[in-house]
Amino acid sequence: MAVSSATFILFGATGDLAHRMIFPSLYNLMGDNLLPEDFLIVASGRSELDDAAFRKDIDRTLQEFLAEGLYDSARAAKFVGMIIYCAANVGDDDQFAALARRVEGREDKGFAIYLSTPPSLFAPTAQALQRAGLTGPDSRIAMEKPIGHDLPSSREVNEAMAAIFDEERIFRVDHYLGKETVQNLLALRFGNMLFEPLWNSGAIDHVQITVGETVGLEGRVSYYDGVGALKDMVQNHLLQLVAMVAMEPPARIDSTAVRDEKVKVLRSLRLMDEKSVLTHSVKGQYGPGAVNGQIVTGYADELGHASGTETFVALKVHIDNWRWKGVPFYIRTGKRLPSRQSEIMIQFKDVPHSIFATKGKGLEPNRLVIRLQPEENIRLLIMAKQPGLDREGVELREVGLNVSLDTAFAKTRRRIAYERLILDLLEGDPTLFVRADEIEAAWTWVDSIHQGWAASHMKAASYASGNWGPSSAIALIERDGASWHD
Ligand code: BG6
């Protein structure tokens, strides 16, 4: 493994993500002695602040956002003591030069640069860093999604970055890959003999992936409107889940082997067009309603005007390769749904021949349900005989083989996704980050849907908050004789 970066340079340090996730993650890593010796955090934002004011702000942040029981004032004092603040605005090279002076002499110990800024600043920030001499061979750079808003713009970002850093030093964050349960998909599929022989069109009828959220816009109007659920959630998080479920076994867990397999899946997604979007996609927008017993307003009311942006999307996805021939992946995600719930459901086929057909009842195909959040568990639904004398025939019933990962690993602290990702960035392991070709393959497919929507003038159907999207989302799957696993 490459040497751990001893300097973490964070742009967008005064922003929401930095406060909620990045600083608490760094604090937790420090608490577990996982940060290198002589670690320095250079926090950078647009406003002028001095070190003391910023440190105070981070101390408050830790008290607010750390999980219960993790804040310790002595530890927090040590942590904020590692932070210095440097204002830097793109376009002001003097500020970047001043930042460079504050980290002078530390180049050999490696810089981990983290861009938690609006995407329009990614390339200009990297270029300003290059002019300030901070992008040498021991520098790595991480950036948050979105990388572009379509294929051409994502290529522009990727090319601008590639002119400064080689691919192994570029860390595109998709925080779903930092979630323990998402990585657990690798353990489940490739650490067990049980599943893989059945993990194909021979035994699987279809796959469902749901990422449901109860929240609405949450003050993100300016970002979200015009973006919508397809670009905000499907292009990245849901497609990464599809790739993890559908990929071929990689030869090793390393950044090339894993990402080579994922990109093959993304390139096999069947593109949509003006006609197929009508039968393979549903877009919705939440109206007023109630979520968890609370009355909430609709999207347009929150926004203050009417909008065509979708806050819900459901898709029937085909992966055109040998393994998944004829196995649809139904995926859906939305805001203001009835519950915060993310899960993957593998629906197996019927047994080839039922010995219970004439003398018995209740036979159902197996299902494997992998719950990612809020709780983490795996349930395999299998057929069992109802106890009794069977005088009317064998009565079968579905029972669950349940594995609660929360219980099995009750003594292990569940880390936030960013802890893992930041540690991997510091240590230079890009396996859980998204490679340029994955981003571009994902955009190629998402663009085909957007173009199909535009050409067919498809509108977002309204759904009352607190429902699982518009009724057409139910029809999308029920037309095929299946139903959503709610
Ligand atoms: C972000 C999206 O990437 O993921 C948000 O921009 C969404 O709109 C969030 O709410 C969901 O993440 P999580 O970890 O809460 O499922």
Side-chain angles (χ1 to χ4, degrees), residues 2 28 45 73 92 125 134 143 162 172 196 203 260 275 323 353 412 426-427 450 460:
N28 287 339
S73 53
D92 186 339
T125 307
L134 294 171
M143 61 203 135
R172 296 176 197 80
E196 204 47 29
D260 280 354
K275 265 172 89 182
R323 183 187 282 258
H353 165 73
T412 317
L426 295 176
E427 294 186 340
H450 259 285

Side-chain angles (χ1 to χ4, degrees), residues 145 175-176 179 213 220 232-233 237 335 340 373:
K145 70 169 244 289
H175 76 279
Y176 268 55
K179 290 184 192 265
E213 298 186 275
R220 295 166 81 220
D232 181 47
M233 293 294 286
H237 309 323
K335 300 213 181 273
R340 178 169 189 262
Q373 52 192 33

Side-chain angles (χ1 to χ4, degrees), residues 24 40 43 49-50 52 99-100 115 120 131 137 193 204 209 212 256 260 270 280 302 305 327 399 419 471 479-480 482:
L40 177 71
L49 290 170
D50 60 29
L99 191 155
L115 306 182
S120 56
R131 288 193 294 276
M193 189 56 215
I204 293 179
I209 300 179
T256 305
D260 280 354
R270 188 183 302 168
H280 286 63
E302 273 178 62
H305 57 82
V327 182
V399 292
E419 288 180 48
S471 53
R479 273 199 296 274
D480 296 341

Side-chain angles (χ1 to χ4, degrees), residues 45-50 53 85-89 92 95:
R46 296 195 322 195
S47 7
E48 292 287 349
L49 290 170
D50 60 29
Y85 183 86
C86 274
N89 286 274
D92 186 339
Q95 286 184 321

Side-chain angles (χ1 to χ4, degrees), residues 400-443:
L401 290 181
N402 293 347
V403 180
S404 160
L405 299 176
D406 293 330
T407 312
F409 300 106
K411 293 212 170 78
T412 317
R413 177 166 74 79
R414 316 305 277 162
R415 293 176 177 279
I416 39 181
Y418 281 88
E419 288 180 48
R420 170 67 193 260
L421 296 177
I422 290 173
L423 187 62
D424 285 357
L425 165 70
L426 295 176
E427 294 186 340
D429 180 357
T431 310
L432 295 178
F433 294 81
V434 189
R435 210 166 56 186
D437 52 1
E438 290 181 77
I439 297 273
E440 292 178 14
W443 275 121

